């Protein structure tokens, strides 16, 4: 694919706002009718509200439509939300199903073309092009990450290295021997790759890699700084979820000032997570997404449980598609300790301000004397590991104070040896919940 084709792909990022709104409305009307005609659950919920597709006359009329949640996908497992015949479905993906029935999602050929397009726009926006070699270290298979990123790399004409996850030493070897310029994986796994490279005597900052596109788990600004410093790259945050399409719903541009939503395909709203009220741009709440061009399994007003805001200020890059702020947390990741709402991302942000610790940690929830309790295990770095007991105790107190300043609770902190916390090759597991229910 030549650069002219990439420019044409990315032209939608800079569309005049009035034209974008016209396109959104036309696509919204079309997808609502398609879902109403072909998805029994959507039709019944519309009928309960006394709403029909012809009632959608303006974009604000989207508020007339019912919400959908993850439980709806589980309750209709496996194919109950499909809106096209099986003969038109060319791919299925699914979640792991570790908390119940898996989430099954489907794609027509047209849906896959849209996915390729938005991923190509994401990669091109991060500065990658046909002259680059990009390693995909997301998992392949039923998880959407690997194949989603793979198609995007091919769509911009770059060379893809489909490494998938695992075999970390081999991943580092491929990066070095192939002259990899970009990588797509989870931020926690890339941190593991940096550690593995250092252990092998390889300074990743001396390799050709310059771009990392990281997603599939929340990560903090502190983590960004660790990754960029450790590998000499620019780190880009990418957002997606299987229920909508996979990676490529939103991504940072080179300004790193929020993630641009490809809202010609995914219409964003922010709602109050408790009341469902639509909030104005600029206010924090739960992100709700509507697929405007996905036909196998349209998602109408899907509640993501991700907490963010729509940024109102124009981006310096010139893109007219709106941005969402970094996903601060997931509402279903929150736990309550002594009446205080706590998110793992808050603890990570505090932890990474303390010199002498690694970015690997584990939050352990338990029940003590009938009350919920929280403790934090933190890996110290190699230099700190050799410190005297008094210095380690001081480090422990600094961590405790940093976390308390953010969440308002003093928690137990245990320092553990370098590399003693298990690394994840997929999404990082940061919380162990041993509470008695």
């Amino acid at each position: 694919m030549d650069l002219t084709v990439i420019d044409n792909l990315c032209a939608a990022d800079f569309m005049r706002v009035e034209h974008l709104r016209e396109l959104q409305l036309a696509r919204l009307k079309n997808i609502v009718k398609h879902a109403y005609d072909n998805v029994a659950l959507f039709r019944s919920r519309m009928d309960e509200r006394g709403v029909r597709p012809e009632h959608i006359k303006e974009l604000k009329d989207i508020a007339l439509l019912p919400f959908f949640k993850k439980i709806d996908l589980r309750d209709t497992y496996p194919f109950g939300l499909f809106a096209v015949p099986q003969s038109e479905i060319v791919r299925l993906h699914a979640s792991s199903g570790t908390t119940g029935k898996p989430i099954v999602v489907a794609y027509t050929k047209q849906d896959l073309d849209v996915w390729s397009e938005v991923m190509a726009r994401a990669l091109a926006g991060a500065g990658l092009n046909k002259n680059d070699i990009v390693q995909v270290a997301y998992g392949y298979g039923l998880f959407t990450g690997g194949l989603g990123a793979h198609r995007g790399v091919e769509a911009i004409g770059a060379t893809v290295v489909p490494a998938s996850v695992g075999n970390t030493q081999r991943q580092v070897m491929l990066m070095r021997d192939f002259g990899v310029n970009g990588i797509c994986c989870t931020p926690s796994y890339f941190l593991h790759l940096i550690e593995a490279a250092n252990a092998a005597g390889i300074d990743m900052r001396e390799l050709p890699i310059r771009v990392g596109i990281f997603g599939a788990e929340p990560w903090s600004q502190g983590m960004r700084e660790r990754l960029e410093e450790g590998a000499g790259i620019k780190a880009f945050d990418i957002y997606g979820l299987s229920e909508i399409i996979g990676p490529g719903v939103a991504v940072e541009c080179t300004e790193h000032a929020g993630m641009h939503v490809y809202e010609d395909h995914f219409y964003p709203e922010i709602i109050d997570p408790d009341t469902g009220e639509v909030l104005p741009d600029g206010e924090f709440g739960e992100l709700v997404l509507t697929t405007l061009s996905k036909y196998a399994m349209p998602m109408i007003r899907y509640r993501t449980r991700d907490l963010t805001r729509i940024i109102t200020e124009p981006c310096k890059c010139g893109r007219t598609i709106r941005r969402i702020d970094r996903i601060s947390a997931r509402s279903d990741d929150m736990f309550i300790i002594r009446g205080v709402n706590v998110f793992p991302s808050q603890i990570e942000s505090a932890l990474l301000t303390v010199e002498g610790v690694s970015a690997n940690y584990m939050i352990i929830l338990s029940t003590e004397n009938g009350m919920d309790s929280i403790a934090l295990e933190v890996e110290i770095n190699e230099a700190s590991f050799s410190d005297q007991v008094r210095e380690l105790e001081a480090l422990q107190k600094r961590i405790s104070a940093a976390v308390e300043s953010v969440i308002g609770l003093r928690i137990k902190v245990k320092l553990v040896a370098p590399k003693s916390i298990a690394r994840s090759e997929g999404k990082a597991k940061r919380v162990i919940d041993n509470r008695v229910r």
Side-chain angles (χ1 to χ4, degrees):
M1 179 178 290
D2 61 33
L3 293 179
T4 301
V5 175
I6 294 176
D7 288 342
N8 290 338
L9 271 178
C10 295
D13 296 356
F14 302 89
M15 192 184 306
R16 290 176 59 182
V17 173
E18 57 268 30
H19 291 168
L20 175 60
R21 299 292 174 255
E22 290 172 2
L23 176 62
Q24 288 174 322
L25 179 58
R27 286 180 170 174
L28 177 63
K29 289 179 176 180
N30 191 49
I31 206 70
V32 167
K33 186 176 189 311
H34 175 67
Y36 185 86
D37 289 343
N38 295 287
V39 181
L41 180 60
F42 181 70
R43 182 167 58 252
S44 67
R45 289 188 178 173
M46 288 273 283
D47 290 344
E48 287 172 5
R49 290 171 166 240
V51 178
R52 295 185 60 81
E54 54 266 27
H55 293 153
I56 305 302
K57 301 181 183 300
E58 303 176 73
L59 279 174
K60 68 178 182 180
D61 293 335
I62 196 171
L64 300 173
L65 303 175
F67 290 118
F68 278 77
K69 299 179 181 180
K70 182 173 287 190
I71 189 65
D72 295 317
L73 283 84
R74 291 199 172 115
D75 287 347
T76 56
Y77 172 88
F79 303 151
L81 293 182
F82 291 6
V84 298
Q86 185 274 327
S87 59
E88 296 181 25
I89 291 173
V90 297
R91 190 191 299 174
L92 297 175
H93 280 284
S95 69
S96 62
T98 54
T99 57
K101 289 182 178 178
I103 301 301
V104 179
V105 290
Y107 303 79
T108 65
K109 183 182 183 304
Q110 179 181 341
D111 296 337
L112 290 181
D113 290 343
V114 169
W115 196 4
S116 296
E117 175 199 326
V118 293
M119 276 304 304
R121 288 159 67 179
L123 297 169
L128 294 168
N129 58 59
K130 67 177 183 179
N131 299 311
D132 288 315
I133 300 173
V134 182
Q135 190 158 320
V136 176
Y138 286 120
Y140 281 66
L142 290 176
F143 174 62
T144 56
L147 285 167
H150 184 116
R151 284 180 63 98
V153 176
E154 291 182 334
I156 62 171
T159 302
V160 63
V161 181
S164 192
V165 296
N167 205 336
T168 301
Q169 284 71 31
R170 186 167 181 262
Q171 298 261 6
V172 173
M173 179 193 74
L174 295 176
M175 292 174 66
R176 180 195 62 194
D177 295 350
F178 290 1
V180 168
N181 310 111
I183 190 166
C184 301
C185 62
T186 64
S188 58
Y189 188 57
F190 191 68
L191 182 69
H192 185 32
L193 289 175
I194 294 173
E195 292 176 340
N198 290 339
I202 298 170
D203 187 346
M204 206 175 281
R205 293 170 298 185
E206 296 179 356
L207 300 183
I209 186 168
R210 68 178 195 279
V211 171
I213 299 179
F214 305 120
E217 62 189 28
W219 52 297
S220 64
Q221 180 61 26
M223 178 67 85
R224 182 201 297 276
E225 293 167 2
R226 293 283 176 102
L227 299 179
E228 292 187 338
E229 180 182 349
I233 62 168
K234 285 295 183 183
F236 292 79
D237 197 359
I238 191 168
Y239 175 75
L241 59 168
S242 298
E243 301 94 310
I244 298 301
I245 202 165
V249 173
V251 73
E252 285 183 315
C253 67
T254 53
E255 295 295 325
H256 299 285
M259 295 181 285
H260 290 277
V261 180
Y262 294 114
E263 57 174 324
D264 49 325
H265 294 293
F266 316 110
Y267 188 81
E269 300 173 86
I270 302 293
I271 66 168
D272 183 311
D274 296 322
T275 67
E277 175 190 1
V278 177
L279 301 176
D281 288 1
E283 291 193 22
F284 276 94
E286 179 184 347
L287 177 64
V288 172
L289 291 168
T290 296
T291 58
L292 299 177
S293 52
K294 189 178 181 191
Y295 284 86
M297 187 176 152
M299 282 284 101
I300 309 295
R301 302 196 83 196
Y302 184 75
R303 295 188 60 165
T304 67
R305 294 297 183 187
D306 292 319
L307 303 179
T308 185
R309 69 184 177 106
I310 293 176
I311 299 172
T312 57
E313 302 81 13
C315 187
K316 293 179 181 177
C317 74
R319 286 175 173 80
T320 53
I321 51 176
R322 288 176 292 176
R323 291 166 292 154
I324 54 173
D325 216 335
R326 175 186 292 274
I327 302 298
S328 60
R330 288 183 59 86
S331 59
D332 48 5
D333 284 344
M334 184 187 77
F335 44 87
I336 301 174
I337 303 294
R338 299 195 290 277
V340 177
N341 296 345
V342 180
F343 293 95
S345 56
Q346 293 176 300
I347 293 177
E348 178 178 294
S349 296
L351 182 63
L352 293 182
T353 65
V354 181
E355 187 176 353
V357 301
S358 83
N360 293 295
Y361 63 94
M362 189 67 70
I363 299 165
I364 301 173
L365 305 177
S366 60
T367 302
E368 296 181 3
N369 300 319
M371 297 184 63
D372 288 347
S373 177
I374 178 174
L376 178 64
E377 290 187 357
V378 182
E379 276 189 15
I380 55 178
N381 60 30
E382 296 284 355
S384 299
F385 189 56
S386 60
D387 286 347
Q388 300 294 320
V389 171
R390 183 178 299 174
E391 293 169 331
L392 291 175
E393 288 177 345
L395 175 59
Q396 197 172 28
K397 289 179 180 177
R398 290 199 300 274
I399 295 170
S400 181
V403 173
E404 184 178 8
S405 70
V406 172
I407 68 173
L409 289 175
R410 181 167 290 274
I411 69 174
K412 299 175 185 176
V413 175
K414 178 183 179 182
L415 303 181
V416 299
K419 299 181 174 63
S420 60
I421 294 177
R423 277 29 177 186
S424 171
E425 295 175 349
K427 297 183 181 182
K429 181 177 176 59
R430 298 297 193 194
V431 180
I432 297 175
D433 193 346
N434 294 327
R435 289 175 292 178
V436 177
R437 295 301 185 189

